[in-house]
């Protein structure tokens, strides 16, 4: 059995909190009970909607929404089927969540380009979460595979920091990426440099009003034809609980 390499995740050099790809995810905590609608866009174009039911009686403290898989299941994932089905039509896709629980939004396949906005159904367009502008406590996570020098930018709060991703050295045992590094704007203003190992996660906790861009400035690898030879292994987010997140 041959493993199919997805070149999207190895060739991407620019990552944005509002343009989710397979290497990124966003987490939002739903503190109040109610029925919410999530509107999903791709490269700025409305695609489809689904619903989130938050209640004190629900048992699930977290849901994981694969935006690319939902795209395929709800509207077929292509322009022809999208033309037949309006993104505003109601759907059967509903995620149940315990009040105070967390919603994880990610992209499980394909080139990505997704953004998401959620709001109480009876209060549109009063958004409680918008990936275009992260709210207080929202988290943006990214996995940088290629070793090299990156820049972390946030224009609204004028945050700028360097990211250094260390190359994986050959060893006798399989490489296991370290635990993710958690940062916020205060830490970035102090240190200015984030040091990671290849495939080690970086999770930024927003204070409100941020839109994140991370860009590769100078890669350390020089084998662009075979990037998989010098890049650490990557696996997409699981549906399990998110480490370090607790409902309040």
């Amino acid at each position: 059995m041959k493993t199919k390499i997805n070149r999207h995740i190895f060739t991407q050099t620019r990552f944005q909190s509002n343009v989710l790809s397979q290497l990124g995810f966003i987490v939002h905590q739903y503190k109040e009970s109610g029925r919410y609608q999530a509107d999903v866009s791709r490269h700025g174009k409305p695609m489809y909607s689904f619903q989130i039911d938050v209640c004190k009686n629900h048992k699930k403290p977290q849901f994981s929404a694969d935006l690319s898989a939902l795209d395929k299941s709800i509207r077929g994932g292509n322009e022809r089927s999208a033309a037949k089905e309006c993104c505003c039509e109601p759907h059967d896709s509903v995620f149940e969540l315990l009040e105070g629980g967390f919603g994880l939004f990610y992209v499980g396949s394909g080139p990505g380009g997704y953004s998401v906005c959620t709001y109480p159904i009876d209060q549109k367009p009063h958004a409680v979460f918008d990936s275009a502008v992260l709210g207080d406590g929202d988290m943006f996570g990214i996995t940088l595979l290629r070793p090299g020098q990156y820049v972390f930018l946030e224009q609204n709060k004028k945050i700028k920091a360097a990211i250094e991703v260390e190359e994986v050295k050959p060893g006798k045992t399989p490489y296991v990426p370290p635990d993710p590094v958690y940062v916020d704007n205060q830490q970035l203003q102090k240190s200015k440099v984030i040091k990671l190992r290849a495939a080690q996660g970086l999770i930024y906790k927003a204070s409100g009003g941020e839109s994140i861009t991370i860009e590769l400035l100078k890669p350390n690898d020089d084998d662009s034809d075979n990037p998989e030879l010098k890049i650490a292994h990557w696996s997409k987010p699981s549906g399990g609980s998110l480490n370090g997140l607790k409902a309040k």
Side-chain angles (χ1 to χ4, degrees):
M1 177 178 177
K2 294 184 179 180
T3 301
K4 185 177 180 180
I5 300 298
N6 189 325
R7 301 192 68 85
H8 294 300
I9 66 174
F10 295 121
T11 58
Q12 187 176 1
T13 59
R14 184 180 178 88
F15 310 87
Q16 295 174 271
S17 56
N18 193 36
V19 189
L20 287 179
S21 68
Q22 289 191 63
L23 298 179
F25 65 87
I26 290 181
V27 175
H28 174 75
Q29 183 179 18
Y30 289 86
K31 299 180 180 180
E32 297 183 5
S33 293
R35 179 63 70 99
Y36 298 83
Q37 179 162 313
D39 291 341
V40 180
S41 299
R42 188 163 183 256
H43 299 303
K45 180 181 178 180
M47 292 284 105
Y48 64 91
S49 301
F50 62 93
Q51 294 184 3
I52 304 164
D53 187 51
V54 182
C55 179
K56 294 180 179 180
N57 297 325
H58 289 325
K59 297 181 179 180
K60 296 181 179 179
Q62 174 195 321
F63 71 82
S64 299
D66 181 344
L67 301 180
S68 58
L70 286 169
D71 194 351
K72 295 177 182 178
S73 65
I74 291 177
R75 70 176 197 99
N78 57 62
E79 298 300 326
R80 181 175 298 177
S81 59
K84 296 180 180 179
E85 183 176 9
C86 172
C87 65
C88 302
E89 293 179 354
H91 300 290
D92 294 332
S93 298
V94 178
F95 289 89
E96 293 186 349
L97 183 67
L98 175 69
E99 182 183 89
F102 297 88
L104 166 66
F105 303 91
Y106 73 102
V107 177
S109 62
Y114 291 94
S115 58
V116 59
C117 176
T118 69
Y119 52 86
I121 288 181
D122 57 351
Q123 298 182 33
K124 185 178 182 178
H126 177 64
V128 299
F129 163 68
D130 190 344
S131 62
V133 183
L134 301 179
D136 185 14
D138 289 346
M139 297 186 187
F140 172 58
I142 192 74
T143 301
L144 300 175
L145 299 182
R146 295 182 66 180
Q149 299 176 11
Y150 296 76
V151 61
F152 179 106
L153 295 171
E154 202 299 307
Q155 295 184 352
N156 296 332
K157 295 183 179 295
K158 301 190 182 301
I159 303 171
K160 183 176 181 180
I163 302 176
E164 297 178 0
V165 178
E166 179 185 348
E167 187 174 358
V168 177
K169 304 296 183 182
K172 296 182 179 179
T173 58
Y175 170 71
V176 177
D179 292 337
V181 173
Y182 289 79
V183 296
D184 56 27
N185 59 4
Q186 293 182 347
Q187 291 173 301
L188 295 182
Q189 290 172 356
K190 291 179 181 179
S191 63
K192 297 294 184 180
V193 179
I194 307 170
K195 293 189 176 182
L196 302 172
R197 300 193 69 190
Q200 181 179 14
L202 173 67
I203 299 177
Y204 176 82
K205 185 176 182 180
S207 58
E210 290 103 316
S211 183
I212 309 301
T213 298
I214 297 175
E215 191 163 1
L216 176 63
L217 299 179
K218 184 179 179 181
N220 288 351
D221 61 272
D222 55 5
D223 193 349
S224 58
D225 293 332
N226 294 286
E228 65 271 20
L229 297 179
K230 294 190 176 184
I231 303 175
H233 172 74
W234 173 86
S235 60
K236 62 186 178 183
S238 67
S241 299
L242 294 169
N243 294 331
L245 298 185
K246 296 181 179 179
K248 294 182 178 180

